Amino acid sequence: MASHGFWSLGGDNAGANTGSQSPSTRLGAKRRPRNFPEELDRNYVIKENVCVCCFEALLNVGEGERAAEPAAKQPPQTEAAGTCGCNKSCNCTKAAVVFSDLYSTDLLPATDGDTKTMTFLQEVVDILLAYIVESFDRETKVIDFHYPNELLQMNNWELQDEPATLDDILISCRATLKYAIKTAHPRYFNQLSTGLDMVGLAADWLTSTANTNMFTYEVAPVFVLLEYVTLKKMREIIGWPDGRGDGIFSPGGAISNMYAMLLARFKMFPEVKEKGMSSVPRLVAFTSEHSHFSIKKGAAALGIGTESVICIKADESGKMIPADLERRILEAKQKGFVPFFVSATAGTTVYGAFDPLIAISDICKKYNVWMHVDGAWGGSLLMSRRHRANSVTWNPHKMMSVPLQCSALLVREEGLMQNCNQMHACYLFQQDKHYDLSYDTGDKALQCGRHVDIFKLWLMWRAKGTIGFEAQIDKCLELSEYLYNKIKDREGYEMVFDGKPQHTNVCFWYLPPGIRYMEDKEERKKHLHKVEVYYHYSSAMRIDRY
Amino acid sequence: MASHGFWSLGGDNAGANTGSQSPSTRLGAKRRPRNFPEELDRNYVIKENVCVCCFEALLNVGEGERAAEPAAKQPPQTEAAGTCGCNKSCNCTKAAVVFSDLYSTDLLPATDGDTKTMTFLQEVVDILLAYIVESFDRETKVIDFHYPNELLQMNNWELQDEPATLDDILISCRATLKYAIKTAHPRYFNQLSTGLDMVGLAADWLTSTANTNMFTYEVAPVFVLLEYVTLKKMREIIGWPDGRGDGIFSPGGAISNMYAMLLARFKMFPEVKEKGMSSVPRLVAFTSEHSHFSIKKGAAALGIGTESVICIKADESGKMIPADLERRILEAKQKGFVPFFVSATAGTTVYGAFDPLIAISDICKKYNVWMHVDGAWGGSLLMSRRHRANSVTWNPHKMMSVPLQCSALLVREEGLMQNCNQMHACYLFQQDKHYDLSYDTGDKALQCGRHVDIFKLWLMWRAKGTIGFEAQIDKCLELSEYLYNKIKDREGYEMVFDGKPQHTNVCFWYLPPGIRYMEDKEERKKHLHKVEVYYHYSSAMRIDRY
């Protein structure tokens, strides 16, 4: 039965279930002109030393949609035989590869697939290069927005039984980018992004090409070493002696925070790994009421429960109040609960507040509680070596503008991650390999195969240098200070809290004229909450309707 | 304090801790010739319609190291003024961009950064294209292997305070690929990989360029829709009525399995989310002794404990024995434990065995236990609609050769993931958005930001069609049958278990002459275990020393 292949079986079922459309009903197929080589040269030409006219044409597009929807364009009027369609006389030749006759099976590893493969990939790259140039052009739209149901109908996104030609695949790439949000756009503001870094992008392309994973040194020798080098550097910056400690790149800050909680629990009660939560007393964790939701999410997943995450009061600017932390720890102990984890936040999500780390670390030390610093957003600003955090979450994919995903958990104690998570899978982590097994980092992770997230950070760090990253962050802080100064005394605006922002989050209310002069403060506040203007410089912007 | 920027502070610490090498001691800088534009055209030329001679030269490299280490090569003897260094007369012009004078700050969004950016990215692509062509050439080395300490010393991988030139960055890219393992190589065998798919690669490049994440529809409209379309298709193939249900792409099979266990627990005891494991009776999970280690890893993380994962006996071919499952469930119930989760495996890691899913689903139904199918490796071969799995792990990044990472968890019950994992973060999942909020899938996930893993699968599916994927899997199965037939009666080999393999795993012992004719079976077995030859066709190969 197995020899029929699961796809043979699955396919039978699928065929019965899916009303796959006939090719002729496909929007893409209908819209696509057949003279593809012409289109290819006309719209996507590379390297200005090859055909300067085409390259210039590309840079001067300025239409916002040309790159994404070339198929819909008319051929240029002045096109003449012997040119590539760039409206000038040039020495480009037509591509010999006709994608409308080709399928993915014609590409490598197919015999004689080299030329076709390189031409196809180059074609994709040309689409991407055009998209990049367009993305940075502030005159173009940030997004061609459509509601989900509209967008579902605007294109044929369905998966078919039959293969599509490479021409169709290129059309799909263009359509995908046409409706994507331009995260590199100067006017794109989001909770996470700080734009698209070109070196980071190049590194991510290389990572995809290498297509390996991080579970052992033998399948990712360079990437494993780069992770080693970079984690050490990050620990040095945090201020741990000689950069010692441990760490891992994980799929995002929420998972990094969950790792920290997992390690804290294991550190205090190693038996929990085998025996589960039923073997330990009721554990409680503490974090500011302004902290990220991932702390509660982690507690829910780990079997600790969200009710065991005690929210500590924050002051008006969003910082955790240490006295309240101490009070709640004592309270928990009196109830017979065991405080095991404090997550201080360096840069809260909304206010950008930095919890007072020194005071918190003193309390953690006093009560022997693991101190985690969630620096996913605010990074390691305040973590000098005087601070005694046990673990730190640090997301280079936020303010350092490393392409998603790139999040590190850094752990002060060596060996703990391995002890906590290892399962000794003998098919993967053989103990008789001929190299230093400490480089097989896979058993530290919750994952088995692990995506390579390190190279883009490492390459960007090389390209900028530490001082370059410093300058980038400083620039963001300067800009937010500039914004703060512009807005704080401006008619119709009101700051959410007094005093300068601690991070790049500049939080303000916009007061529409209708409520601007209201005497009744309570009434005004009610209206204000319907406006919900929240501005988070260099990272986030949310302007909702009034 | 905050206004100094964390990097300003961090940088000071870092400066004190790291003995950064002076640029002159850098291997890369020493080896690099200064006439970069020449090197650029000589080694990396694109598109055969631009300069056929260069392109041909690239395809005929065949030296294994040229692409990765161009800097070490001598200029061709026949090079003449006016050529690009390809040994022929051609109409290439020299690149106008000199990378040794440029830094990442010269690229976009820098003013006038368009040309430099496109030239730089094209240069990286040329390196990647050369690497790809080389990777598919079976005459080249799969890896230029070095031990960790050697490799650390063979190049300067350190992170510096000062920025590197773009020339240095390109050198770093080449060095990284030089020492990488060629996962696209016809002779690369690994537990996970089935080579590098060209359409998948193109899709991954596009994904990096789009650089967004999956938490809400507004930041990833197309990708969210494609995930919706693809998950539905996958559920249809599994055989759930009308493809209904839920699901998510997660960072790998281990996390998908952990999600399943989390959902099973929540389904039975929803209060565990708030109250933790202390509110529920002792839970027990069941899985075959041949199952993947991630089941235990998940149990450890979720606070269930590895001792509560009961290993069910497998038969000689590696399949779970249903009678033993039922016996152990009854035993657990008698002890007062609550069986909540059975993970059946469709394609075990080592033997490639398929647990008897129908019999297991009957038992799960009888005792009201969540049935999960870990099809990370074996996929959905045996899951027709008669089977009643509650959840399925399916990793397209394995046998379907989608670039890493691409793993789906599919869940039969709608709404459960959302209820289990949501935390209602109001800064992200506003309830007053103007579109259908069911497309904001972020709160279903354990993660907050989530990498876009869908596009490569979707685009490959379009390119191959369902029948193309079927053919690909069938081919792998045919090849493993071919191997099995070649090896089963061969002198010096012995199959690990009798009968045809159920999947592509062909498991055999190699018997070195010294033990081949040993009479004492026990003694022979002892020696045999030192040989450890394990062959896993199309996916894995491990040949250890004797």
Side-chain angles (χ1 to χ4, degrees):
Chain A
M1 196 164 182
S3 67
H4 290 95
F6 70 80
W7 275 97
S8 310
L9 248 181
D12 291 347
N13 293 339
N17 288 338
T18 57
S20 48
Q21 294 173 267
S22 86
S24 64
T25 65
R26 296 179 55 192
L27 188 61
K30 269 189 184 165
R31 273 174 26 204
R32 179 167 51 81
R34 304 311 299 177
N35 57 340
F36 191 74
E38 231 171 54
E39 178 204 332
L40 173 148
D41 276 331
R42 192 165 62 247
N43 291 286
Y44 306 103
V45 181
I46 354 107
K47 272 202 170 178
E48 91 287 29
N49 64 327
V50 162
C51 173
V52 177
C53 49
C54 313
F55 189 73
E56 279 170 358
L58 183 59
L59 293 181
N60 293 326
V61 170
E63 296 163 51
E65 291 195 0
R66 175 167 170 189
E69 201 180 30
K73 296 278 160 196
Q74 297 302 314
Q77 297 305 309
T78 57
E79 191 180 3
T83 76
C84 66
C86 62
N87 289 353
K88 291 189 190 176
S89 170
C90 73
N91 55 13
C92 288
T93 55
K94 303 286 179 194
V97 177
V98 180
F99 293 117
S100 56
D101 295 339
L102 293 178
Y103 292 89
S104 63
T105 44
D106 295 309
L107 302 177
L108 284 171
T111 317
D112 297 328
D114 289 0
T115 305
K116 292 165 195 157
T117 300
M118 292 181 81
T119 313
F120 168 72
L121 289 176
Q122 184 60 53
E123 201 56 33
V124 172
V125 167
D126 292 349
I127 292 171
L128 300 181
L129 293 180
Y131 177 76
I132 290 165
V133 169
E134 194 191 313
S135 290
F136 280 99
D137 178 359
R138 66 178 65 233
E139 301 306 315
T140 63
K141 279 199 265 190
V142 177
I143 185 169
D144 181 7
F145 183 84
H146 298 276
Y147 291 98
N149 283 334
E150 280 172 24
L151 190 49
L152 269 173
Q153 282 158 24
M154 288 178 78
N155 211 316
N156 170 22
W157 308 105
E158 288 304 315
L159 295 165
Q160 319 279 349
D161 288 347
E162 299 297 321
T165 65
L166 293 183
D167 196 4
D168 283 325
I169 292 304
L170 293 169
I171 288 169
S172 290
C173 289
R174 289 187 201 105
T176 299
L177 291 174
K178 174 171 164 53
Y179 300 111
I181 193 158
K182 298 198 189 82
T183 58
H185 198 284
R187 290 182 177 148
Y188 173 70
F189 298 97
N190 179 261
Q191 291 96 335
L192 263 180
S193 303
T194 18
L196 182 63
D197 185 275
M198 291 299 114
V199 173
L201 177 63
D204 219 17
W205 288 355
L206 186 147
T207 302
S208 302
T209 311
N211 190 35
T212 191
N213 87 63
M214 298 292 285
F215 55 43
T216 59
Y217 176 81
E218 62 203 340
V219 297
V222 187
F223 298 130
V224 165
L225 288 189
L226 298 185
E227 187 170 76
Y228 169 82
V229 165
T230 308
L231 286 172
K232 186 164 185 292
K233 183 80 174 180
M234 293 172 90
R235 291 189 301 259
E236 283 167 2
I237 287 174
I238 287 173
W240 291 337
D242 301 324
R244 281 202 307 272
D246 208 337
I248 204 161
F249 280 83
S250 92
I255 304 288
S256 291
N257 287 340
M258 193 173 91
Y259 265 116
M261 197 179 267
L262 186 62
L263 289 170
R265 180 175 71 182
F266 178 76
K267 173 73 180 170
M268 195 172 270
F269 297 103
E271 65 271 29
V272 83
K273 182 176 177 179
E274 287 84 27
K275 301 195 180 300
M277 288 291 285
S278 56
S279 68
V280 301
R282 168 122 179 241
L283 303 179
V284 281
F286 303 84
T287 193
S288 153
E289 57 183 339
H290 281 246
S291 70
H292 190 257
F293 67 85
S294 56
I295 304 298
K296 284 197 170 180
K297 209 165 221 180
L302 302 185
I304 291 161
T306 54
E307 287 178 5
S308 294
V309 177
I310 296 177
C311 284
I312 306 303
K313 279 192 194 136
D315 65 18
E316 204 214 8
S317 70
K319 291 181 206 164
M320 189 198 284
I321 299 172
D324 193 53
L325 171 64
E326 184 155 19
R327 188 177 68 78
R328 302 301 295 267
I329 287 178
L330 287 169
E331 206 174 86
K333 286 168 82 85
Q334 274 160 11
K335 287 183 191 161
F337 303 159
V338 177
F340 81 110
F341 183 75
V342 170
S343 178
T345 311
T348 60
T349 314
V350 177
Y351 282 20
F354 285 80
D355 289 342
L357 302 183
I358 299 179
I360 293 170
S361 72
D362 287 346
I363 295 169
C364 289
K365 200 175 169 189
K366 184 168 169 188
Y367 296 100
N368 194 27
V369 180
W370 182 287
M371 179 177 173
H372 173 62
V373 175
D374 176 6
W377 169 230
S380 51
L381 170 56
L382 293 170
M383 283 165 268
S384 78
R385 68 198 65 193
R386 287 176 303 139
H387 303 263
R388 305 187 54 83
N390 299 87
S391 56
V392 176
T393 292
W394 179 347
N395 282 11
H397 70 206
K398 291 184 176 157
M399 209 152 172
M400 288 163 74
S401 64
V402 177
L404 264 170
Q405 61 194 33
C406 190
S407 169
L409 177 77
L410 301 147
V411 183
R412 187 152 188 164
E413 182 173 331
E414 293 174 62
L416 193 65
M417 292 199 86
Q418 184 79 13
N419 289 337
C420 178
N421 292 324
Q422 72 185 349
M423 290 291 155
H424 306 286
C426 63
Y427 77 98
L428 202 53
F429 307 114
Q430 297 89 351
Q431 296 304 301
D432 59 351
K433 289 181 188 173
H434 303 282
Y435 58 81
D436 178 354
L437 293 179
S438 71
Y439 290 98
D440 278 1
T441 55
D443 222 8
K444 285 183 194 178
L446 283 173
Q447 296 150 268
C448 175
R450 185 160 61 93
H451 189 255
V452 177
D453 295 329
I454 183 59
F455 188 63
K456 48 202 172 190
L457 171 60
W458 180 83
L459 198 69
M460 281 176 67
W461 205 320
R462 293 280 281 208
K464 291 175 195 288
T466 308
I467 57 169
F469 267 131
E470 278 180 44
Q472 177 180 328
I473 304 288
D474 284 347
K475 179 77 180 168
C476 288
L477 288 163
E478 271 165 36
L479 287 171
S480 64
E481 196 168 342
Y482 173 84
L483 177 71
Y484 170 74
N485 287 328
K486 280 275 174 204
I487 220 162
K488 72 176 169 16
D489 302 318
R490 200 186 190 94
E491 165 87 22
Y493 290 82
E494 192 175 296
M495 303 315 291
V496 172
F497 57 85
D498 291 333
K500 279 193 183 180
Q502 301 166 67
H503 197 15
T504 57
N505 311 42
V506 180
C507 299
F508 60 84
W509 299 106
Y510 167 65
L511 310 175
I515 62 169
R516 199 168 295 168
Y517 309 105
M518 260 182 202
E519 291 290 318
D520 185 339
K521 295 272 177 197
E522 279 307 302
E523 184 66 14
R524 198 178 84 161
K525 204 171 176 182
K526 234 174 76 186
H527 283 275
L528 209 48
H529 273 88
K530 289 190 191 153
V531 184
E532 272 187 28
V533 173
Y534 159 59
Y535 192 94
H536 181 166
Y537 190 80
S538 89
S539 170
M541 188 172 189
R542 279 282 309 155
I543 300 190
D544 278 334
R545 73 186 180 285
Y546 178 56
Chain B
M1 197 166 184
S3 66
H4 290 94
F6 72 78
W7 274 98
S8 309
L9 248 181
D12 291 347
N13 294 340
N17 286 339
T18 55
S20 49
Q21 293 174 267
S22 85
S24 64
T25 65
R26 296 179 54 191
L27 189 60
K30 269 190 183 164
R31 273 173 26 204
R32 180 166 51 81
R34 305 309 303 179
N35 58 340
F36 189 73
E38 229 172 59
E39 178 204 331
L40 172 149
D41 276 334
R42 191 164 65 247
N43 290 286
Y44 305 105
V45 182
I46 355 105
K47 272 204 167 175
E48 91 288 26
N49 64 328
V50 163
C51 173
V52 177
C53 48
C54 312
F55 189 75
E56 278 171 358
L58 183 59
L59 293 179
N60 293 326
V61 170
E63 295 165 48
E65 290 194 357
R66 176 170 167 187
E69 202 180 29
K73 296 280 162 194
Q74 297 301 312
Q77 297 305 308
T78 56
E79 190 178 357
T83 77
C84 66
C86 60
N87 288 355
K88 289 188 190 177
S89 169
C90 74
N91 54 14
C92 288
T93 54
K94 303 287 178 194
V97 178
V98 180
F99 293 116
S100 55
D101 295 339
L102 293 177
Y103 292 88
S104 63
T105 44
D106 295 309
L107 302 177
L108 283 171
T111 317
D112 298 328
D114 289 1
T115 305
K116 291 164 196 160
T117 301
M118 292 182 79
T119 313
F120 169 72
L121 290 175
Q122 184 60 54
E123 201 56 36
V124 172
V125 167
D126 292 348
I127 292 172
L128 300 180
L129 292 179
Y131 177 76
I132 291 165
V133 169
E134 193 191 314
S135 290
F136 280 99
D137 177 359
R138 67 177 66 235
E139 301 306 315
T140 63
K141 279 200 266 189
V142 176
I143 185 170
D144 181 7
F145 183 84
H146 299 275
Y147 292 99
N149 283 334
E150 278 173 25
L151 190 48
L152 269 174
Q153 283 157 24
M154 288 178 78
N155 211 316
N156 169 23
W157 308 104
E158 288 303 317
L159 295 166
Q160 319 280 347
D161 288 345
E162 299 296 321
T165 65
L166 293 182
D167 196 5
D168 283 325
I169 292 303
L170 293 168
I171 288 170
S172 290
C173 289
R174 291 188 199 102
T176 299
L177 291 173
K178 174 171 164 55
Y179 300 112
I181 192 158
K182 297 199 189 80
T183 57
H185 198 284
R187 288 182 179 148
Y188 173 70
F189 298 96
N190 179 262
Q191 292 97 335
L192 263 182
S193 302
T194 18
L196 182 64
D197 185 275
M198 290 299 114
V199 173
L201 177 64
D204 219 16
W205 287 354
L206 186 147
T207 303
S208 303
T209 310
N211 189 36
T212 191
N213 85 63
M214 299 291 285
F215 54 42
T216 59
Y217 176 79
E218 62 202 341
V219 298
V222 187
F223 298 130
V224 164
L225 289 189
L226 298 184
E227 187 170 77
Y228 170 82
V229 166
T230 309
L231 286 171
K232 185 164 186 293
K233 183 80 175 181
M234 293 172 90
R235 289 189 302 258
E236 284 167 1
I237 288 174
I238 286 172
W240 291 338
D242 301 323
R244 280 202 306 274
D246 208 337
I248 204 161
F249 281 83
S250 90
I255 303 288
S256 291
N257 287 340
M258 193 172 91
Y259 265 116
M261 196 179 268
L262 185 62
L263 289 170
R265 181 176 70 182
F266 178 76
K267 173 74 179 166
M268 194 173 271
F269 297 103
E271 65 272 28
V272 82
K273 182 175 175 180
E274 286 84 27
K275 299 192 179 304
M277 289 291 285
S278 56
S279 67
V280 301
R282 168 124 179 237
L283 304 179
V284 282
F286 303 84
T287 193
S288 152
E289 57 184 337
H290 280 247
S291 70
H292 190 257
F293 67 85
S294 55
I295 305 297
K296 285 198 170 181
K297 209 165 219 179
L302 302 185
I304 291 161
T306 55
E307 286 178 5
S308 294
V309 177
I310 296 176
C311 284
I312 307 302
K313 277 190 195 137
D315 67 17
E316 204 214 10
S317 68
K319 291 180 208 167
M320 189 198 285
I321 300 171
D324 193 52
L325 172 64
E326 184 157 18
R327 189 177 67 78
R328 300 302 293 270
I329 287 177
L330 287 169
E331 205 175 87
K333 286 167 83 81
Q334 275 159 12
K335 287 184 190 161
F337 303 158
V338 176
F340 80 110
F341 182 77
V342 170
S343 179
T345 311
T348 59
T349 314
V350 177
Y351 282 19
F354 286 80
D355 288 343
L357 301 185
I358 299 179
I360 292 170
S361 73
D362 288 345
I363 294 169
C364 289
K365 199 175 169 188
K366 183 169 169 189
Y367 296 101
N368 193 28
V369 180
W370 182 287
M371 178 178 174
H372 174 63
V373 176
D374 177 7
W377 169 231
S380 52
L381 170 55
L382 293 170
M383 284 165 269
S384 79
R385 68 197 67 193
R386 286 175 304 138
H387 304 261
R388 305 188 54 85
N390 299 87
S391 58
V392 176
T393 293
W394 180 347
N395 282 10
H397 69 207
K398 289 182 175 155
M399 209 154 175
M400 287 163 75
S401 63
V402 178
L404 263 170
Q405 59 192 30
C406 191
S407 168
L409 176 77
L410 301 146
V411 183
R412 186 152 189 165
E413 182 173 331
E414 293 173 63
L416 193 65
M417 292 198 86
Q418 184 79 10
N419 289 337
C420 178
N421 292 323
Q422 71 186 351
M423 291 291 154
H424 305 286
C426 63
Y427 78 98
L428 203 53
F429 306 115
Q430 295 89 351
Q431 296 303 301
D432 58 350
K433 291 182 189 174
H434 304 282
Y435 57 81
D436 177 355
L437 293 178
S438 71
Y439 290 98
D440 278 2
T441 55
D443 222 10
K444 286 182 194 178
L446 284 174
Q447 297 150 267
C448 175
R450 186 159 61 92
H451 190 255
V452 177
D453 295 330
I454 183 59
F455 189 63
K456 48 203 173 190
L457 170 60
W458 181 83
L459 198 69
M460 283 175 66
W461 205 320
R462 292 279 280 209
K464 290 175 195 288
T466 308
I467 58 171
F469 267 131
E470 278 181 44
Q472 176 180 329
I473 305 288
D474 284 348
K475 180 77 181 170
C476 288
L477 287 162
E478 271 166 36
L479 287 171
S480 65
E481 194 166 344
Y482 174 86
L483 177 72
Y484 169 75
N485 288 328
K486 280 278 174 201
I487 219 162
K488 70 178 173 11
D489 302 317
R490 199 186 189 92
E491 165 88 21
Y493 290 82
E494 193 175 296
M495 303 315 291
V496 173
F497 57 86
D498 290 334
K500 278 194 184 179
Q502 300 167 67
H503 196 15
T504 56
N505 311 42
V506 180
C507 300
F508 60 84
W509 299 106
Y510 167 65
L511 309 173
I515 63 170
R516 198 168 295 170
Y517 309 104
M518 260 181 201
E519 292 290 318
D520 184 340
K521 294 273 177 195
E522 279 306 304
E523 184 67 12
R524 198 178 83 161
K525 204 170 176 184
K526 234 174 77 185
H527 282 274
L528 208 47
H529 273 88
K530 290 192 192 154
V531 183
E532 271 188 29
V533 173
Y534 158 61
Y535 193 95
H536 181 170
Y537 188 80
S538 87
S539 171
M541 187 171 190
R542 280 282 308 154
I543 301 191
D544 278 334
R545 72 186 181 285
Y546 178 55

